[in-house]
Amino acid sequence: MQSYLAGRDMITTQEFTTDELNTIFEVAFDLKRKRALGESHALLRDKVLAMLFFFSSTRTRVSFEAGMAQLGGHAQFIDHRTTQISHGDTGKEIGEIIGRYCDGIAIRQCDWGIGNDYIRGVAKASRVPVLNMQCDYYHPFQGLADMLTVFERFGRDLRGKTINVSYAYASSYQKPMSAPQSLILLATRYGMNVRLTRPPEFKIMPDIEDQARDNARESGGSFEVLDDFDAGFSGADIVYPKSWGAMLTTTDEEESAEIGAQYTDWITDSRRMALANDHAIYMHCLPADRNIEVTDEVIDGPHSAVYDEAENRLHVQKAVMALTMR
Ligand code: CP
């Protein structure tokens, strides 16, 4: 067990060894147990986390803020529009200055081609850990919560289990591809058979696919890419169909929406779930476009793990904060 993670940034899980990831999961399980028993775990008393949002949130904001309070510290919510960022404060200023006031800086900046660079720039200037609350490339805390949920349902040895990370149609907005990319990068660390299923216009980043292949080779798992929605479900233990934008095909959101409109039949329904294994679970990071991305029958049905998955955001985030911000 790698016990010393103090001072580390969490921008992508690829920058952590599997031993270090296992430490995060062990601590997350322990903190989840402590919360269930009502045991105090004020590991970050007097510490402050700044949470800088460039994009809206339900789960991320509430779970980070609740998590800091449960750890005995405080979280500050900062909407970028209420700062001087638009008047000249750069990532360097944010890292240098907020890093002197606070003990951690968490950032959500999902703009395509901008978010990850911005978070990296803040991290370079900051003396305290920088936590990626979602960028254009990665959503590491979502991926960690997803994996904690999978461990809870299937045990810690996931070798031979099949997870299908799939595109699904949504009409609400062109969602980032960061959640599926982070999940693929983590699932391939644990010897799973990982499927990426998407229409040809909805490719993920080639560099992420390369990293996933390398991970799978090292862990004894596999990584394959499919373009048939039904085939992705076939024989899967875990299905994770969610929408993302066609960013690698076009950076124009309207054009991306028009391309997506060809795939309105990529909706998870009971027939599709029946193609998966009997004990299969349905996962989604939420928010989902109900009855467009997934039917009510599935998301509210017996296979759905979405609320445990959302809860686990709290536990993995507390684990990473307790380990890195001490
Ligand atoms: N899954 C997720 O990140 O949810 P929010 O956008 O509500 O934070």
Side-chain angles (χ1 to χ4, degrees), residues 25-325:
F25 290 123
E26 292 301 332
V27 173
F29 277 123
D30 186 47
L31 294 179
K32 185 168 185 175
R33 186 187 64 81
K34 283 188 164 66
R35 179 165 160 75
L37 293 171
E39 283 179 21
S40 177
H41 45 280
L43 301 167
L44 294 179
R45 201 183 297 282
D46 302 328
K47 303 267 186 177
V48 179
L49 175 74
M51 305 188 304
L52 174 59
F53 282 88
F54 290 79
F55 194 79
S56 56
S57 165
T58 304
R59 283 145 289 272
T60 304
R61 175 182 176 177
V62 176
S63 55
F64 266 103
E65 194 163 334
M68 271 308 284
Q70 291 161 19
L71 291 168
H74 173 70
Q76 291 179 322
F77 172 72
I78 307 166
D79 180 329
H80 76 106
R81 290 169 300 189
T82 63
T83 69
Q84 296 282 34
I85 288 173
S86 65
H87 297 152
D89 275 339
T90 63
K92 182 174 182 186
E93 267 83 64
I94 296 298
E96 275 282 1
I97 297 166
I98 296 184
R100 294 179 190 215
Y101 301 149
C102 298
D103 303 284
I105 307 174
I107 305 173
R108 169 171 281 194
Q109 172 34 299
C110 305
D111 291 338
W112 183 249
I114 295 173
N116 189 263
D117 281 351
Y118 181 80
I119 293 173
R120 295 265 180 215
V122 174
K124 192 168 171 215
S126 169
R127 62 182 65 182
V128 298
V130 168
L131 309 179
N132 179 359
M133 295 194 293
Q134 188 177 22
C135 68
D136 43 348
Y137 302 164
Y138 307 114
H139 198 352
F141 292 100
Q142 185 64 56
L144 290 167
D146 296 338
M147 290 304 295
L148 196 75
T149 311
V150 172
F151 287 134
E152 285 175 339
R153 300 295 180 112
F154 293 95
R156 293 301 297 268
D157 183 357
L158 297 176
R159 287 175 296 181
K161 298 291 180 208
T162 298
I163 182 168
N164 176 41
V165 180
S166 175
Y167 172 83
Y169 174 68
S171 57
S172 55
Y173 70 107
Q174 299 307 294
K175 303 182 184 193
M177 62 177 71
S178 47
Q181 293 200 147
S182 278
L183 178 55
I184 285 166
L185 290 176
L186 272 169
T188 50
R189 299 285 283 275
Y190 286 91
M192 301 184 78
N193 300 323
V194 181
R195 286 179 191 158
L196 167 67
T197 308
R198 85 295 179 268
E201 300 90 342
F202 289 85
K203 291 185 172 63
I204 66 164
M205 294 167 66
D207 177 49
I208 301 290
E209 288 195 5
D210 289 345
Q211 292 178 57
R213 274 190 201 93
D214 290 345
N215 288 349
R217 198 174 306 115
E218 280 172 32
S219 72
S222 64
F223 176 68
E224 63 178 335
V225 180
L226 309 178
D227 60 10
D228 179 321
F229 193 49
D230 283 5
F233 283 82
S234 180
D237 299 294
I238 300 124
V239 295
Y240 201 116
K242 81 162 301 286
S243 190
W244 63 84
M247 284 86 164
L248 294 176
T249 304
T250 175
T251 51
D252 182 307
E253 294 218 355
E254 279 183 24
E255 194 180 351
S256 177
E258 280 167 23
I259 295 168
Q262 298 171 69
Y263 298 103
T264 54
D265 58 335
W266 285 51
I267 176 172
T268 305
D269 55 16
S270 307
R271 183 186 72 74
R272 261 78 183 235
M273 283 305 300
L275 300 173
N277 284 344
D278 290 346
H279 59 266
I281 60 170
Y282 168 83
M283 299 181 73
H284 192 297
C285 56
L286 304 180
D289 286 21
R290 278 177 174 259
N291 299 308
I292 295 174
E293 239 176 319
V294 53
T295 61
D296 284 344
E297 195 180 13
V298 170
I299 199 168
D300 296 326
H303 296 279
S304 178
V306 296
Y307 297 123
D308 286 349
E309 183 184 356
E311 177 188 335
N312 283 336
R313 290 291 303 276
L314 175 72
H315 308 300
V316 296
Q317 287 159 199
K318 285 168 67 180
V320 173
M321 290 191 290
L323 286 162
T324 62
M325 288 172 58

